[in-house]
Amino acid sequence: MRELQARLAQIGWFDAAPTGVYGPVTAKAVQGFQTKRGLPATGATDAVTWQRLLGMTTKPTREELLGKAVRKPAAKPDPRCMKGRVLCISKTTRTLSWMIDGRVLSTMDVRFGSQYTPTREGTFDVYWKSRDHVSTLYDTPMPYAMFFSGGQAVHYSADFAARGYNGASHGCVNVRDKKKIAALFDQVRNGDKVVIYW
């Protein structure tokens, strides 16, 4: 059970320390994992779900099984991320990698919009930055916002920091590590590329 939870943590589906108990939190994490992969969303770990999870993760370390560390497999960058200055965002591993000419300078956890407010996929450019932005549509803070498609932006989310993957954005790419997004905001320039892919 701890191995299941640790493996789910590696790909961003389980935010708590492994407990060894298959309770509602674990069932919800499994269900979310199944839904994203087009599997029957039962919340139960059947053989197909387990094999898919094994193929996407690595054997948990002792520290991971105890909840002291999480080792996320690196997302293979999309080919569009290999040249220039790019915010390379993987929906599969739920990570953002800041890359320059194919070299990863920093990586951070991200979450996306719900099925009703999906985050767009494709290649975009940062067209506007707003350090202390507040959404006029939802009346919510969007610190360190870097807009790339209409009202969608990469920004810090206090809700993501507090609730993890139990919530979703309204289409933006949420970052939960405030220090990392603040540092990223200072490095990114208007015109830098944003690639969002599975």
Side-chain angles (χ1 to χ4, degrees), residues 87-106:
L87 294 169
C88 192
I89 302 168
S90 167
K91 284 190 167 183
T92 301
T93 60
R94 298 196 280 188
T95 56
L96 179 158
S97 295
W98 168 232
M99 300 178 65
I100 297 180
D101 293 328
R103 189 166 58 97
V104 176
L105 302 180
S106 66

Side-chain angles (χ1 to χ4, degrees), residues 15 30 46-47 74 84 88 101 107 142 150 181 188:
D15 284 334
V30 170
D46 58 13
C88 192
D101 293 328
T107 300
M142 297 170 58
I181 188 70
V188 171

Side-chain angles (χ1 to χ4, degrees), residues 7-168:
R7 285 180 182 270
L8 287 167
Q10 287 180 8
I11 53 174
W13 282 104
F14 192 81
D15 284 334
T19 61
V21 176
Y22 205 106
V25 173
T26 303
K28 186 173 180 181
V30 170
Q31 188 174 35
F33 173 80
Q34 290 168 327
T35 300
K36 285 286 186 186
R37 269 97 204 149
L39 302 172
T42 62
T45 306
D46 58 13
V48 174
T49 301
W50 181 244
Q51 288 304 314
R52 185 71 65 90
L53 185 59
L54 289 178
M56 295 180 64
T57 56
T58 59
K59 184 169 178 58
T61 63
R62 178 170 158 64
E63 289 75 23
E64 287 178 294
L65 292 172
L66 295 174
K68 295 180 179 177
V70 177
R71 180 183 52 185
K72 287 190 175 185
K76 183 177 180 184
D78 186 278
R80 296 170 289 180
C81 298
M82 300 310 289
K83 288 185 181 177
R85 300 164 56 86
V86 188
L87 294 169
C88 192
I89 302 168
S90 167
K91 284 190 167 183
T92 301
T93 60
R94 298 196 280 188
T95 56
L96 179 158
S97 295
W98 168 232
M99 300 178 65
I100 297 180
D101 293 328
R103 189 166 58 97
V104 176
L105 302 180
S106 66
T107 300
M108 55 204 76
D109 293 337
V110 293
R111 75 174 182 185
F112 305 100
S114 69
Q115 63 180 354
Y116 305 107
T117 56
T119 303
R120 297 178 192 102
E121 294 151 24
T123 302
F124 312 93
D125 292 323
V126 173
Y127 69 86
W128 181 44
K129 293 172 59 182
S130 179
R131 185 178 300 274
D132 299 306
H133 194 78
V134 176
S135 169
T136 54
L137 190 58
Y138 299 106
D139 195 32
T140 55
M142 297 170 58
Y144 306 107
M146 294 170 277
F147 289 87
F148 60 85
S149 179
Q152 294 193 357
V154 174
H155 67 84
Y156 172 72
S157 167
D159 181 73
F160 184 25
R163 298 196 309 140
Y165 293 100
N166 290 323

Side-chain angles (χ1 to χ4, degrees), residues 173-193:
V173 177
N174 288 166
V175 177
R176 66 172 153 192
D177 188 317
K178 197 169 190 177
K179 286 184 181 178
K180 283 188 175 183
I181 188 70
L184 180 65
F185 184 89
D186 289 340
Q187 295 172 58
V188 171
R189 302 190 291 239
N190 285 348
D192 285 348
K193 193 159 53 171

